[in-house]
Amino acid sequence: MNLQVQKNTLYVGGLAEEVNEAILHAAFIPFGDIKDVKTPLDQATQKHRSFGFVTFLEREDAVAAMDNMDGAELYGRVLTVNYALPDRIKGGEQGWAAQPIWADADTWFERQQQEQEMQRMQAEQRAAMQVAEELHRKKMAEERQGEKEEDAEIKSDPMAVAEAEILSQTT
């Protein structure tokens, strides 16, 4: 899977509970101007989920921050700093963490119905192909049977046998 990374936005993992957006901003500001800092919240506890995102104005600043802060320690925890994945992967503007679990239930049911319909159509198509193949086999068997009956009729009719011999001799 080849995903385009956001070169200005960094994922910062391994945050301690005490770290908030202001502390995260202060830790990364030495590397350049920061456009945005986000720490997605857990809906149940209203605390951040041990990671955040820092968006720099310049790519070079993001590279410098990643090079210097990956593996660094903040509030006793070792940080993991990487490029962030695109928003569409994470669930849009707010991120998938901000959406309730049932948010995609309608689309899930639609996908399930479409998949069931596709399977039903494929089963119908397979059944139709089997019927067509069976009809073809019967037709071929009837034609072979007809040829055998014609051969048997020719062999039992002395006139037909004589005609066949004369025809074979003249050719």
Side-chain angles (χ1 to χ4, degrees), residues 47-63:
K47 294 182 180 179
H48 70 74
R49 301 174 48 220
S50 301
F51 67 89
F53 299 96
V54 179
T55 303
F56 286 89
L57 290 176
E58 301 292 328
R59 286 182 183 189
E60 296 78 24
D61 297 340
V63 170

Side-chain angles (χ1 to χ4, degrees), residues 88-107:
R88 71 177 185 276
I89 302 301
K90 296 180 299 192
E93 187 69 28
Q94 292 180 317
W96 54 265
Q99 298 177 357
I101 195 165
W102 59 86
D104 72 339
D106 291 337
T107 58

Side-chain angles (χ1 to χ4, degrees), residues 66-128:
M66 187 170 61
D67 290 343
N68 288 290
M69 295 298 285
D70 187 37
E73 193 174 309
L74 182 65
Y75 280 77
R77 303 270 305 264
V78 176
L79 299 179
T80 301
V81 182
N82 295 312
Y83 287 120
L85 295 177
D87 283 342
R88 71 177 185 276
I89 302 301
K90 296 180 299 192
E93 187 69 28
Q94 292 180 317
W96 54 265
Q99 298 177 357
I101 195 165
W102 59 86
D104 72 339
D106 291 337
T107 58
W108 183 84
F109 284 117
E110 286 176 15
R111 287 192 309 267
Q112 291 297 89
Q113 287 176 333
Q114 288 172 351
E115 187 174 318
Q116 289 173 351
E117 179 67 16
M118 182 66 75
Q119 289 173 350
R120 184 188 63 77
M121 290 172 57
Q122 287 174 344
E124 286 177 1
Q125 187 177 15
R126 279 192 299 271

Side-chain angles (χ1 to χ4, degrees), residues 11 19 24 27 31 35-36 40 50 63 86 94-95 103 109 116 121 127 131 169:
Y11 161 84
V19 177
L24 195 57
F31 303 103
K35 179 179 175 184
D36 190 26
S50 301
V63 170
Q94 292 180 317
F109 284 117
Q116 289 173 351
M121 290 172 57
V131 167
Q169 290 174 359

